[in-house]
Amino acid sequence: MSITMDTTLASLVTNKRRVSALKSLGIITVGDALTYYPFRVTEPVPLRAIREAAPGQQMAFAAVIRDMRVVPMNARRGYRLEATVDDADFARSRRVPGSTARLTFFSYRKSYVDWVSMRLRAGTSVVVSGMPSEYMGQLQFTHPEILTVAPGSAGAGAGLEGYARDAASGNGAFAGSTDPYASVQSAYPPAAAASSGAALKYDADTVQEALTRVCRPRPVYHASSRISSEHIHETILGLLWMMGARTSSTPDGQLAGAGSAGIVAPTTDTIAVQNGEEKSGTTAESGAEALSQSIPDVLPESVRKAKNLMHRAEAFLSIHDPASTTRFKEAIETLRYEEAFVSQTSLLKARSHAHKSAAHSCPLVTDSLRDQFIASLPFSLTAGQQQVIHDIAADLAHDWPMQRLLQGEVGSGKTVVALAAMLQAVDAGYQAVLVAPTQVLAEQHAETIGRMVEQLKPAIPVTLLTGGMKLAARRKALAAASSGEPGIIVATHAAFSKTFQAPHLALVVIDEQHRFGVEQRESLNAKTDDGTTPHLLVMTATPIPRTAAMTWFGDLDISWLTELPGGRKPIRTVVVNEADAATMGRMFAHIRARVDAGERAYIVCPRIDADDEGNEGGSGVSAAAGSARGRAAASGSSARTAAGGRATRAAADAIGIDDPYETFDENGETVARPPLHAVAEIADRLQKLPQFQGIRFATLTGRDKDDVKTQVMADFAGGETPILVSTTVIEVGVDVKQASCIVIFDADRYGLSQLHQLRGRVGRGGTNSWAFLISRAEPGSPAEQRLEVIHHSLDGAEIAQADLEFRGAGDVLGDAQSGGKSSLKLLRVVKDADMIADARTRAGQLLAADPELAGEVQLAGAVLDFTRGNETFLTSS
């Protein structure tokens, strides 16, 4: 059976529970497993004789079993196994006296105790790795890692003098391979030990080989309650073995030759297929060749040599079976550069492809609608708005499609810029479509645009098209669009339906692109009758650092609006510890005072009700980008549930937090956290408080129908229900000028950019405004540090930069980067800016010589995979 990166684990791994556990982490194929990178590697385990042991400090030594006994635990169910070991030969090699220690194992399973008893028979040579402690005056190792050494090939002290010299000189790295199967045999006893009469299978042929294995650095993976880091490591090494790896990586960059420890073949209890069973003539070189054939290099050979990088196969081996921490870091750098090169090649190809497409030219005309509109505005445009409008006008005049990203803070005037562009397209005799992520926002845009263009001559038709419209109105809107008459169409997802046709479409404006999948965006290209590609203007209020924008949106021209209109007062941000009842009471009293003054207040919760952790539509936040990847995956790579378990990305979107932060223990296990607050729960609690007696509350969630959402927002804006308890459905586009207060529960679990977006819902009418961030973060914790950033800053770019550094590029830039099928797992936007610039330069040189990558088949495939796996990446926020 030929194993490739696309081979599914279900066809290779016999343990179906393990297959299911790995799938929950987004690990479905061999490629998923090899790119599930450890978050750290342990330091090499030092060699120490028993007399040199220090309680609480990891160590390894060779010894001989002197005696062993099994003691039933009468007071508790189960057994205790104790073995005494003597390290006389090993200690002599280190020039210290020998001594003894006790190895202790506990288990409820008699089969496990019998299996360990058989391995630790008196006279057996073993290598022990563990943490020493003291019990009843004797040194003890509880559940240490044990490797048994085959008898006759070497004594317990053989070959140890060299190790003693290495230890004395400070060398702590060993070029062998850990045996992950030895460390987890409690769960998977080898078939050879299935019965007492079976021949015992030893873990190593020599003491030197066993010491090499236990002393080398070990990768530690983000794990879960269903699968441990050790079992993840075991599976990955088993896959590498099946793909041809027989020996471990070494510090000089070659696959290790004779004399070094090899990767142990997985037992058939774990792996169903053992591809390419070793034959008598198998060498390290043939193993290296087999692995490189199974894992071909993606980077061009010239680039790899110029940057002095590893072969891709060697990099994977050095990450999952590192000879040293230095070698591990070098391998990470190799694959990090690979990500940079593939992503930049993809972006440059996308930009080149766009310029080859045809588009309708929309040059400015004399006394244009655009100029009439600008002259009719009751305020002067900022310098930034004027510049962006000028740049867009030049783009629209070309006969190839514009692709521009317009980024601006909430309230910076993006709608005015977009309307000026649409009027230029209408003036040229074409149609323009503005796509909004929600019906509420679409209706607001249609009303605002209609009011702004009503005085223009000739009259400009403005058509509203939403999924929630009544059938007659919807048919009328569809007919207006299909007529091809020049005008402006404001739509929601309905613009992506098959029934929507706009034969003379020249410009598409997408507001908050990260709410839409690439298939939806691309479907608009098929709406024209003449095969042209519409010009594209993507708007976002999600702050993106300039370094990130230049890196990730390299196929787009980028414009920034940084000036805010006059009259806006800064929002006062207050972080409140939820346990501080006195401060919470004062906050609620303040909100009541603002409501009594005729103002409004938002209360934001991550969930709809207490049992909706995995329910669909919990926040109204679209999971389109996540589902477009085909397989929702782990962010770390998995989105997680509120209680610390793992869930799909769609489930996280349903909860309403853009990408929940997590904490992990030193073994990569997720740490459970308190459940998130829910809309139904908080609305019920607040209405019972004395501060809110006589005040009407409303609730708004993603589950509500569009007509309900519209009515709720109308009642809120009109003051009938001055307090709105909602999920993050209000994050984008909701514009109620009387809103002066927003309370965000579980603020420590949100991304900073999302908090900044939510905070922008208040203070839009020029009144004083407040944002209260309710937190349960521990003092001094990273979560508290994150909230301090948004507490002290109103600068979106500064906040996005901090978010980027706290979370990594993926989580800030949209769903396609948050893990799973995303090809980007190692690249860091800020820290790797120089690397990305270098990759972009080299990618440009390569494409100039070979535009279709005909000579780089593997790179071409990786670019295609990247584009498919990161579709919103190219034009998302």
Side-chain angles (χ1 to χ4, degrees):
M1 176 181 178
S2 177
I3 300 175
T4 68
M5 297 287 277
D6 294 323
T7 303
T8 62
L9 295 190
S11 64
L12 303 176
V13 179
T14 55
N15 188 315
K16 299 310 176 188
R17 291 180 63 185
R18 182 175 298 191
V19 171
S20 176
L22 290 169
K23 185 177 181 180
S24 72
L25 299 180
I27 304 174
I28 299 172
T29 66
V30 171
D32 295 334
L34 296 185
T35 56
Y36 191 79
Y37 302 117
F39 68 93
R40 69 180 178 94
V41 288
T42 63
E43 290 299 321
V45 178
L47 290 172
R48 290 177 183 156
I50 292 175
R51 284 189 178 273
E52 298 173 305
Q57 295 184 14
Q58 192 84 9
M59 60 177 283
F61 62 94
V64 175
I65 304 293
R66 290 303 179 215
D67 60 65
M68 183 271 301
R69 65 174 184 154
V70 176
V71 182
M73 294 186 290
N74 295 325
R76 299 184 307 177
R77 186 168 57 88
Y79 305 87
R80 182 178 76 252
L81 185 149
E82 296 179 349
T84 303
V85 293
D86 183 346
D87 74 339
D89 290 342
F90 177 74
R92 189 179 305 114
S93 72
R94 295 183 61 81
R95 296 175 177 80
V96 296
S99 187
T100 61
R102 182 167 52 211
L103 313 181
T104 305
F105 301 84
F106 299 92
S107 179
Y108 293 117
R109 293 171 48 201
K110 185 64 164 61
S111 59
Y112 168 71
V113 173
D114 291 342
W115 175 69
V116 176
S117 300
M118 182 173 57
R119 299 183 75 225
L120 304 186
R121 290 175 296 189
T124 302
S125 295
V126 295
V127 165
V128 181
S129 175
M131 192 84 71
S133 59
E134 190 174 327
Y135 179 70
M136 297 182 67
Q138 185 175 3
L139 200 68
Q140 173 176 281
F141 293 82
T142 304
H143 284 275
E145 179 181 356
I146 303 288
L147 271 66
T148 57
V149 180
S153 57
L160 299 176
E161 288 77 6
Y163 280 101
R165 288 193 299 272
D166 285 342
S169 63
N171 290 335
F174 301 93
S177 165
T178 42
D179 179 6
Y181 308 99
S183 63
V184 293
Q185 284 166 337
S186 60
Y188 302 94
S195 66
S196 59
L200 182 63
K201 179 180 178 181
Y202 292 95
D203 301 313
D205 292 330
T206 66
V207 171
Q208 180 176 351
E209 177 189 340
L211 284 169
T212 299
R213 288 183 193 164
V214 301
C215 290
R216 68 190 288 110
R218 301 189 187 205
V220 182
Y221 303 83
H222 284 312
S224 72
S225 59
R226 298 181 61 187
I227 186 168
S228 68
S229 175
E230 284 290 347
H231 283 177
I232 296 170
H233 188 206
E234 171 189 350
T235 303
I236 293 174
L237 283 194
L239 296 173
L240 286 169
W241 189 93
M242 286 188 291
M243 298 178 82
R246 294 296 182 269
T247 50
S248 307
S249 61
T250 58
D252 63 3
Q254 304 301 318
L255 287 178
S260 66
I263 294 180
V264 177
T267 67
T268 53
D269 286 349
T270 306
I271 298 293
V273 180
Q274 295 192 358
N275 188 43
E277 291 287 351
E278 284 196 88
K279 300 177 177 61
S280 57
T282 300
T283 64
E285 287 73 20
S286 63
E289 184 178 348
L291 186 62
S292 62
Q293 288 175 353
S294 299
I295 309 175
D297 216 347
V298 168
L299 289 174
E301 184 72 10
S302 58
V303 173
R304 187 168 68 84
K305 288 184 175 179
K307 298 295 293 182
N308 194 27
L309 301 173
M310 299 180 186
H311 188 283
R312 194 174 197 228
E314 176 65 18
F316 280 132
L317 195 56
S318 297
I319 286 172
H320 297 295
D321 188 30
S324 66
T325 52
T326 299
R327 192 65 181 155
F328 173 83
K329 292 174 182 176
E330 291 172 354
I332 290 290
E333 285 301 296
T334 291
L335 294 180
R336 184 171 283 146
Y337 189 88
E338 178 188 290
E339 288 186 0
F341 195 87
V342 170
S343 65
Q344 294 308 304
T345 303
S346 179
L347 289 167
L348 290 173
K349 278 181 66 67
R351 189 182 186 95
S352 173
H353 178 74
H355 284 189
K356 293 178 182 177
S357 302
H360 292 298
S361 175
C362 304
L364 276 175
V365 296
T366 304
D367 192 27
S368 66
L369 290 170
R370 190 202 74 170
D371 293 340
Q372 289 183 46
F373 162 65
I374 293 174
S376 70
L377 291 172
F379 53 84
S380 298
L381 297 178
T382 65
Q385 288 174 312
Q386 293 176 27
Q387 182 61 50
V388 174
I389 289 173
H390 174 76
D391 293 341
I392 290 175
D395 288 346
L396 292 175
H398 294 146
D399 58 2
W400 65 81
M402 170 183 73
Q403 288 189 292
R404 183 171 291 276
L405 171 67
L406 175 57
Q407 177 181 321
E409 289 279 4
V410 172
S412 60
K414 296 187 296 298
T415 303
V416 169
V417 172
L419 181 51
M422 289 189 286
L423 289 173
Q424 185 172 337
V426 172
D427 228 356
Y430 299 109
Q431 295 169 295
V433 173
L434 170 62
V435 185
T438 67
Q439 176 166 330
V440 170
L441 184 54
E443 290 172 347
Q444 287 183 357
H445 276 317
E447 181 183 351
T448 301
I449 291 172
R451 192 169 57 247
M452 286 180 165
V453 303
E454 63 184 357
Q455 302 300 325
L456 301 183
K457 302 295 182 184
I460 308 298
V462 178
T463 304
L464 174 65
L465 176 62
T466 71
M469 298 174 69
K470 292 184 178 180
L471 184 59
R474 181 180 172 85
R475 285 177 174 171
K476 184 177 179 181
L478 288 171
S482 62
S483 70
E485 179 187 1
I488 294 172
I489 303 162
V490 181
T492 57
H493 290 73
F496 306 120
S497 69
K498 292 181 180 179
T499 56
F500 174 73
Q501 295 296 325
H504 294 158
L505 182 61
L507 172 64
V508 174
V509 180
I510 296 185
D511 194 6
E512 296 299 335
Q513 159 65 20
H514 67 286
R515 305 293 180 184
F516 305 106
V518 70
E519 292 91 348
Q520 295 171 315
R521 178 174 52 80
E522 290 296 331
S523 72
L524 289 173
N525 290 342
K527 303 300 183 184
T528 58
D529 284 345
D530 51 13
T532 57
T533 299
H535 298 282
L536 176 66
L537 176 64
V538 174
M539 300 194 299
T540 176
T542 303
I544 307 169
R546 284 178 179 260
T547 54
M550 296 303 293
T551 299
W552 298 138
F553 306 109
D555 65 323
L556 301 179
D557 297 307
I558 305 173
S559 299
W560 279 272
L561 289 178
T562 56
E563 302 172 67
L564 291 179
R568 290 288 296 270
K569 295 182 180 179
I571 302 169
R572 305 173 193 179
T573 305
V574 183
V575 179
V576 181
N577 189 319
E578 189 173 341
D580 185 349
T583 302
M584 292 284 287
R586 289 196 301 272
M587 175 188 73
F588 291 134
H590 171 80
I591 292 172
R592 174 60 188 261
R594 303 320 306 167
V595 168
D596 288 344
E599 297 169 9
R600 315 282 185 270
Y602 297 105
I603 311 289
V604 179
C605 304
R607 292 192 295 158
I608 297 176
D609 49 49
D611 58 356
D612 71 343
E613 285 195 17
N615 288 350
E616 189 73 23
S619 68
V621 178
S622 169
S627 61
R629 293 193 303 271
R631 287 192 294 269
S635 173
S637 288
S638 161
R640 276 84 173 182
T641 62
R646 296 178 184 267
T648 62
R649 175 72 194 178
D653 278 340
I655 292 171
I657 289 181
D658 61 355
D659 189 21
Y661 289 103
E662 285 189 280
T663 53
F664 300 94
D665 62 21
E666 62 180 8
N667 294 319
E669 297 277 355
T670 52
V671 177
R673 296 176 295 180
L676 298 167
H677 288 299
V679 168
E681 163 213 350
I682 292 298
D684 183 62
R685 282 171 51 186
L686 295 186
Q687 290 180 81
K688 296 176 181 177
L689 293 178
Q691 293 95 326
F692 296 121
Q693 291 300 309
I695 297 293
R696 290 186 60 194
F697 281 67
T699 61
L700 182 67
T701 73
R703 289 186 194 157
D704 295 327
K705 294 182 179 180
D706 286 338
D707 57 341
V708 173
K709 291 178 183 177
T710 301
Q711 186 59 50
V712 167
M713 289 307 302
D715 291 345
F716 177 64
E720 292 182 35
T721 52
I723 297 180
L724 178 63
V725 185
S726 76
T727 58
T728 53
V729 70
I730 66 158
E731 179 184 349
V732 174
V734 173
D735 188 4
V736 177
K737 298 189 183 307
Q738 299 92 335
S740 64
C741 295
I742 184 168
V743 178
I744 305 172
F745 280 91
D746 296 303
D748 53 302
R749 307 279 285 275
Y750 288 80
L752 296 185
S753 293
Q754 191 177 23
L755 288 175
H756 183 62
Q757 278 279 81
L758 289 167
R759 179 171 60 180
R761 296 306 101 201
V762 298
R764 303 169 73 87
T767 61
N768 291 322
S769 55
W770 293 263
F772 299 98
L773 309 181
I774 312 303
S775 167
R776 288 182 280 185
E778 295 291 331
S781 65
E784 186 182 62
Q785 295 169 20
R786 290 194 298 268
L787 291 181
E788 283 302 302
V789 172
I790 202 158
H791 177 207
H792 294 292
S793 177
L794 292 171
D795 186 328
E798 179 183 330
I799 290 167
Q801 181 81 8
D803 212 5
L804 197 63
E805 293 169 358
F806 275 121
R807 298 203 288 170
D811 302 333
V812 174
L813 297 181
D815 289 333
Q817 287 75 53
S818 44
K821 288 306 293 176
S822 168
S823 304
L824 297 168
K825 297 185 178 182
L826 298 173
L827 205 57
R828 305 161 303 185
V829 172
V830 178
K831 295 181 180 179
D832 297 328
D834 292 341
M835 174 187 290
I836 293 166
D838 179 88
R840 189 175 183 85
T841 299
R842 294 179 187 274
Q845 294 169 351
L846 177 67
L847 289 172
D850 185 4
E852 300 303 319
L853 299 177
E856 299 291 345
V857 178
Q858 295 300 328
L859 176 61
V863 167
L864 182 61
D865 289 343
F866 173 86
T867 305
R868 288 172 174 170
N870 299 271
E871 49 258 347
T872 56
F873 175 87
L874 298 180
T875 53
S876 82
S877 60

